[in-house]
Amino acid sequence: MARYGMLIDTTKCIGCYACRTACQRQNSLLPDEAFIRYEQREVGSYPDVNVENVPLQCMHCEDAPCAQVCPTGAAHMGADGIVEVDQGRCIGCLYCMAACPYQVRVRNSETGAVDKCRFCTVSAEESGTKMCSCVEACPTGARLFGDLDDPDSQIVAEIARTKAAPIAGDLTKSKVFYVR
Amino acid sequence: MMFEPIWGVVIACYLFLAGLGGGAFAASTYMRLRTPKCVHLIRYGRIIAPVTVIIGLVLLMFDATAGFHHPLRFALLLTNFGSVMTWGVVFLGAFTIVSLIVLIMDLLGKGLKIPVWLDVAGAVLGICVCVYTGCLLGVAKTFPLWNNALLPVLFLVSAVSTGMAAILLVGIFRAPHEFHLSGAFKKFHFFLPIFELFLVACLLFITANSAEAAGWASVMNLVAGDDAVAFWLMFVLAGLVMPTILEWKMLFMSTKEVEESKTGHMVSAASDVLVLVGGFTLRLLVLVAAMPITIVQPWV
């Protein structure tokens, strides 16, 4: 069993939205349904000022608040540590959207069910892509996907090298790590 | 970044109606034990309870679009007992069944034969429903305005207050003679908005000083932001202060003749309508004013 995670280097992110559009195409999402959202803020002080772009998506939390509150078990911890939403079980009560601290869950305006980043598991296997579509689409190489339990993986080495950490500390034991 | 509230008017109606129904049943049980002569008022409570709760549940199903399109999925609601919503379904289901049994017995003229334990069981389930509406929001750690132990208590007090107001409102017009007999009930009802005012003040003080900046932002939405007009005029003034003044005038400052006159009835009815308006406004404001915690940049 793997324990998949992602590394996002915000110092490389230029806020081009390529990851979001690639994700929408790969997963056949509706135009108003995006699994990645962005927060921006100014960092530093004059004259050394910059804009930090932070792409946010499902953090695949080990302590997932969405799965805790989901009354039907649609939101659940799936294989390999990937938090999944069983579209056939979701009633669209939106309780998971209220519980998610990252506000990265979206309602499909056609089905009414809630969805979010899937770490492109199924689609990646089907289309033979090695990585999630967002990782492959990023023009600056800001993203990396891999097995957090594999000590030889590139992601483990990069997290150690860059001292990356979850965006909100140990709030939910997130598996998406950020370099900031 | 602009934050769009996750739940809106429909869920506010549901929270309001579920609380009103649970509160009305608990109030009618209280009345059965305290003033059993008021058979009509007791019956009105028993009618209001299942009717409002069922309307609320229909609204809820309507709002849960994915389930509305595939109704069989609602059966899955009983699969995760770690979820407050699952417990809510249990309480709402049991409450609806008990309150319907009691109502049918009452309408069949067997009101006096309804066992006390059945009424008490319905009242306990009704209170569970009221508390559940608060806990449903209370467990969402994302929103400091919700994630505290005061909210379920506030919702319970408001629910009982609206349930009593609904019974009295119907009673004024349909059974005025019993309305005059229910002094203890009316006094109990009088004190609830005062207690609610105190709870709201506590909720705002605690939330404003939450470790998360979103707590302060939520309170500011209510007292000085987008929701301030509704908060001060519709909730505090119309829903809490006015009923307190009107009821105080009626209960403690008026002669029996005035209290039982047409004018007295109208003043009491107005006060009860205001309590209902306040109860709904409270649910709606708590839903739309709550801001989620900050991840990178605060929500506005």
Side-chain angles (χ1 to χ4, degrees):
Chain A
M1 287 281 274
R3 191 171 66 94
Y4 288 122
M6 191 175 278
L7 175 69
I8 300 175
D9 187 343
T10 63
T11 61
K12 290 184 183 169
C13 179
I14 53 170
C16 67
Y17 294 15
C19 52
R20 172 152 84 184
T21 47
C23 165
Q24 285 184 288
R25 289 168 70 93
Q26 168 98 32
N27 294 299
S28 307
L29 305 185
L30 299 171
D32 64 348
E33 186 187 20
F35 290 167
I36 300 173
R37 67 176 187 88
Y38 301 82
E39 291 200 18
Q40 287 184 323
R41 68 166 181 179
E42 286 180 21
V43 286
S45 53
Y46 181 83
D48 186 18
V49 182
N50 210 340
V51 173
E52 182 191 27
N53 293 296
V54 184
L56 296 161
Q57 66 206 60
C58 174
M59 306 288 168
H60 296 276
C61 314
E62 284 177 18
D63 186 8
C66 54
Q68 285 168 21
V69 302
C70 177
T72 64
H76 63 279
M77 181 62 76
D80 299 328
I82 297 175
V83 175
E84 296 170 352
V85 185
D86 184 340
Q87 296 291 300
R89 291 177 79 96
C90 178
I91 57 167
C93 68
L94 313 187
Y95 204 10
C96 56
M97 287 177 69
C100 174
Y102 309 99
Q103 299 296 309
V104 288
R105 302 175 74 90
V106 286
R107 180 187 220 177
N108 181 310
S109 54
E110 282 179 4
T111 66
V114 175
D115 212 340
K116 46 111 212 153
C117 162
R118 306 158 184 168
F119 265 175
C120 285
T121 40
V122 179
S123 44
E125 275 169 25
E126 281 172 357
S127 60
T129 47
K130 210 171 99 201
M131 286 282 182
C132 296
S133 48
C134 58
V135 176
E136 299 206 325
C138 181
T140 63
R143 290 168 173 268
L144 195 59
F145 178 79
D147 182 359
L148 298 171
D149 277 352
D150 176 3
D152 300 326
S153 68
Q154 194 188 355
I155 190 168
V156 169
E158 276 298 296
I159 288 172
R161 190 185 65 80
T162 56
K163 296 189 177 63
I167 195 82
D170 52 6
L171 181 66
T172 55
K173 297 186 186 146
S174 147
K175 289 202 283 290
V176 176
F177 290 75
Y178 286 83
V179 181
R180 298 177 73 187
Chain B
M1 293 164 302
M2 287 293 287
F3 177 70
E4 278 290 317
I6 290 162
W7 288 317
V9 179
V10 179
I11 295 298
C13 285
Y14 156 68
L15 296 177
F16 169 69
L17 291 171
L20 194 160
F25 196 96
S28 94
T29 303
Y30 167 82
M31 196 177 269
R32 176 198 171 149
L33 300 172
R34 191 74 197 257
T35 48
K37 277 180 291 183
C38 299
V39 284
H40 288 94
L41 292 190
I42 295 169
R43 179 175 298 163
Y44 299 147
R46 288 171 177 164
I47 296 172
I48 290 166
V51 170
T52 51
V53 167
I54 289 169
I55 295 173
L57 285 174
V58 170
L59 285 175
L60 183 68
M61 288 182 184
F62 185 71
D63 195 61
T65 325
F68 190 65
H69 293 319
H70 305 275
L72 286 176
R73 286 185 197 169
F74 286 118
L76 299 168
L77 277 167
L78 294 170
T79 50
N80 179 11
F81 279 87
S83 168
V84 173
M85 197 179 277
T86 297
W87 283 102
V89 171
V90 171
F91 292 138
L92 281 160
F95 175 73
T96 309
I97 292 166
V98 172
S99 62
L100 281 174
I101 291 171
V102 170
L103 173 62
I104 290 166
M105 287 180 76
D106 193 336
L107 293 179
L108 290 175
K110 293 179 184 160
L112 294 172
K113 286 189 189 153
I114 295 169
V116 174
W117 65 262
L118 190 62
D119 254 339
V120 171
V124 170
L125 286 168
I127 287 168
C128 288
V129 168
C130 303
V131 175
Y132 148 72
T133 59
C135 289
L136 177 75
L137 305 182
V139 298
K141 286 180 227 165
T142 311
F143 298 93
L145 183 63
W146 301 351
N147 189 214
N148 58 72
L150 273 168
L151 195 71
V153 185
L154 173 62
F155 273 23
L156 172 65
V157 174
S158 167
V160 174
S161 176
T162 53
M164 286 182 141
I167 295 178
L168 290 172
L169 185 60
V170 180
I172 292 167
F173 298 105
R174 299 296 299 268
H177 52 288
E178 286 183 11
F179 177 72
H180 303 148
L181 293 174
S182 54
F185 188 84
K186 285 191 275 189
K187 288 208 174 73
F188 186 6
H189 178 232
F190 164 77
F191 285 107
L192 290 177
I194 300 171
F195 188 37
E196 220 178 309
L197 201 55
F198 163 74
L199 284 172
V200 170
C202 293
L203 176 71
L204 297 190
F205 274 118
I206 302 290
T207 309
N209 291 286
S210 140
E212 295 287 344
W216 173 262
S218 308
V219 173
M220 284 306 121
N221 274 348
L222 287 172
V223 301
D226 288 350
D227 307 316
V229 174
F231 177 77
W232 291 112
L233 294 184
M234 286 178 68
F235 176 58
V236 176
L237 185 66
L240 301 178
V241 175
M242 287 296 287
T244 305
I245 294 172
L246 294 177
E247 289 294 327
W248 176 68
K249 276 269 185 200
M250 279 293 111
L251 287 172
F252 305 108
M253 302 299 283
S254 306
T255 59
K256 202 166 158 44
E257 289 70 43
V258 174
E259 206 182 324
E260 296 182 2
S261 69
K262 192 91 181 158
T263 319
H265 285 174
M266 286 305 129
V267 172
S268 294
S271 151
D272 292 331
V273 169
L274 290 173
V275 166
L276 294 177
V277 169
F280 173 73
T281 311
L282 169 67
R283 305 310 192 286
L284 184 59
L285 288 177
V286 165
L287 285 183
V288 301
M291 299 304 266
I293 59 172
T294 304
I295 298 300
V296 176
Q297 194 75 319
W299 293 92
V300 291

